[in-house]
Amino acid sequence: MQAELWRAPYVDLDLYMGRWYEICRKPQSADDKGLRDVLVDHSRGADGSIDVLSSFDHPVLGNRTFHGVATPQDSSGSLLDISYPETLHWLPFLSGRVFVVKVDVDYRTALIGEPRRQGLVLLHRSPVMERSEAHKWLRIAECQGFDTENLVWPIHSGCEGPL
């Protein structure tokens, strides 16, 4: 039996708001390997929830944007329930109960995972992250029991991917 997934003791949700670029993720299906320009915008909802605007560009589907809602589940800010209520089909974004496993002190990088360790995403405030830095973050995920062998590293327009 795996130990409970560790999560950040506190996430300042006001600092967490804004645009995040997906640096890498565990693939959710074979269909999501061609995605590019994957990003997530977070903003505060009037009711204290978090509005989540997720988008990507797909070679066949084109540019797609989906609206979701994240609801903090406790005062730590690191346990969220995320849903995309008006979306009935597959999305490459994490949904359900997710943990902010780690966020750096400057809120420039965040590691997000789900408790069964099937979903994992590394987010960054800019579209490119040095590969050595990304691997330091992924080492944290490995120590938490995530398999990081087959990650998807989406390319962002104007960028060649991780350095």
Side-chain angles (χ1 to χ4, degrees), residues 14-70:
D14 290 328
L15 294 175
Y16 190 77
M17 296 301 107
R19 175 161 287 178
W20 293 92
Y21 295 87
E22 182 181 278
I23 299 302
C24 64
R25 73 176 171 286
K26 287 184 66 65
Q28 300 299 307
S29 83
D31 295 340
D32 71 349
K33 292 184 180 174
L35 300 181
R36 18 180 339 119
D37 299 319
V38 182
L39 56 92
V40 182
D41 288 302
H42 296 92
S43 60
R44 284 292 212 170
D47 62 357
S49 64
I50 300 167
D51 290 324
V52 181
L53 196 62
S54 301
S55 63
F56 61 79
D57 190 32
H58 186 274
V60 175
L61 301 173
N63 192 283
R64 304 298 297 255
T65 300
F66 302 92
H67 181 259
V69 176

Side-chain angles (χ1 to χ4, degrees), residues 23-157:
I23 299 302
C24 64
R25 73 176 171 286
K26 287 184 66 65
Q28 300 299 307
S29 83
D31 295 340
D32 71 349
K33 292 184 180 174
L35 300 181
R36 18 180 339 119
D37 299 319
V38 182
L39 56 92
V40 182
D41 288 302
H42 296 92
S43 60
R44 284 292 212 170
D47 62 357
S49 64
I50 300 167
D51 290 324
V52 181
L53 196 62
S54 301
S55 63
F56 61 79
D57 190 32
H58 186 274
V60 175
L61 301 173
N63 192 283
R64 304 298 297 255
T65 300
F66 302 92
H67 181 259
V69 176
T71 307
Q73 297 300 299
D74 63 17
S75 60
S76 73
S78 64
L79 176 59
L80 304 168
D81 275 346
I82 301 176
S83 65
Y84 291 87
E86 298 176 9
T87 305
L88 299 175
H89 55 81
W90 163 87
L91 284 177
F93 311 112
L94 290 181
S95 62
R97 179 145 294 184
V98 299
F99 291 5
V100 178
V101 175
K102 181 174 176 59
V103 64
D104 68 345
V105 68
D106 296 325
Y107 285 76
R108 293 207 26 85
T109 306
L111 186 63
I112 314 299
E114 59 86 26
R116 295 173 315 203
R117 293 167 177 83
Q118 298 302 308
L120 176 73
V121 63
L122 179 61
L123 301 172
H124 195 57
R125 294 293 188 177
S126 64
V128 176
M129 183 178 194
E130 287 189 39
R131 188 170 291 273
S132 63
E133 187 64 22
H135 283 288
K136 287 178 189 175
W137 283 81
L138 293 173
R139 181 68 185 125
I140 295 167
E142 290 167 356
C143 289
Q144 288 295 311
F146 286 94
D147 176 7
T148 61
E149 288 297 313
N150 66 341
L151 297 176
V152 175
W153 298 76
I155 293 174
H156 294 276
S157 294

